[in-house]
Amino acid sequence: MIALVVTIALAFVGYVAAYLNGLRLAQRSERLARVNRQLSDFYGPLFAVTEANSRAFDAFAQRNVRPDGRSPFDHEDPPTEEELAEWRLWVTTVFLPNIRTMRDLVVTHADLLRESEMPPILLKLCAHVSGYEITAARWEQGRFDQHQSVVSFPSQELADYAREGFTALKAAQGRLLGRRPAA
């Protein structure tokens, strides 16, 4: 009789242990799937486009610097018509498509944010894009009285946000996959 009770107790303990282990593995698998989606669908693309846009802007700035080393927009002498035409070309072909991509990532993949609320930096990005869209629409009408968005681009803050999110998620992915941190 004691042997039967011990056998049943051991079977029950084994069942509970197997159930809890399976539950733990399923939860870990779900966490890994979410981290992978966050990386592939939001933070990875946001980081890549943010970096590409930053490098393109740096290239633009280097090519279009005034002899005194300053930007035409950071100068007491207003930009020339040639400088403004070059700016419009870069905005419409490079910068606006990039920031629209960033905005679209935020709008379509907000469910993948690490935060429980929308970060203000992402809201500022969306407002900046809207501001540039109206500016670009004016350019299409031949109206060149404005050349910037009504909301400034949060360049460094956005770059920091994208880099931090990507880096933290890559670390979490590594932990979930059982990788040891690089020394």
Side-chain angles (χ1 to χ4, degrees):
M1 181 63 137
I2 292 177
L4 180 62
V5 170
V6 168
T7 302
I8 292 172
L10 286 175
F12 180 73
V13 167
Y15 171 78
V16 168
Y19 172 78
L20 293 176
N21 188 51
L23 183 62
R24 183 185 62 81
L25 290 175
Q27 289 171 339
R28 181 182 186 131
S29 178
E30 287 297 319
R31 283 193 308 272
L32 179 59
R34 176 161 173 78
V35 165
N36 286 340
R37 278 201 61 229
Q38 287 175 302
L39 282 167
S40 68
D41 295 350
F42 185 71
Y43 287 95
L46 181 65
F47 178 58
V49 176
T50 301
E51 283 294 311
N53 195 66
S54 176
R55 292 172 190 201
F57 183 81
D58 290 346
F60 166 82
Q62 288 175 359
R63 292 184 80 179
N64 295 283
V65 68
R66 289 210 170 151
D68 65 0
R70 291 189 289 169
S71 162
F73 292 102
D74 296 331
H75 208 280
E76 54 274 358
D77 294 326
T80 65
E81 282 306 314
E82 294 80 24
E83 289 169 331
L84 292 173
E86 185 70 7
W87 175 248
R88 289 190 299 269
L89 178 64
W90 277 77
V91 167
T92 56
T93 59
V94 178
F95 304 132
L96 191 53
N98 283 345
I99 63 175
R100 280 179 174 151
T101 298
M102 293 177 210
R103 185 234 7 234
D104 293 347
L105 286 167
V106 171
V107 171
T108 60
H109 296 293
D111 62 312
L112 297 175
L113 291 173
R114 295 182 314 144
E115 301 86 358
S116 60
E117 294 183 13
M118 181 67 70
I121 191 69
L122 298 180
L123 296 173
K124 186 172 184 179
L125 166 68
C126 293
H128 174 75
V129 174
S130 295
Y132 249 122
E133 286 177 330
I134 192 66
T135 300
R138 285 186 180 114
W139 295 344
E140 288 176 9
Q141 296 174 344
R143 296 171 49 202
F144 303 117
D145 56 321
Q146 294 181 358
H147 281 84
Q148 296 183 327
S149 175
V150 294
V151 177
S152 63
F153 183 63
S155 179
Q156 190 58 53
E157 300 95 334
L158 184 61
D160 292 345
Y161 175 83
R163 181 177 292 108
E164 179 199 318
F166 181 79
T167 303
L169 287 167
K170 285 301 285 183
Q173 182 187 51
R175 284 190 304 275
L176 289 167
L177 291 171
R179 295 186 187 135
R180 296 187 186 268

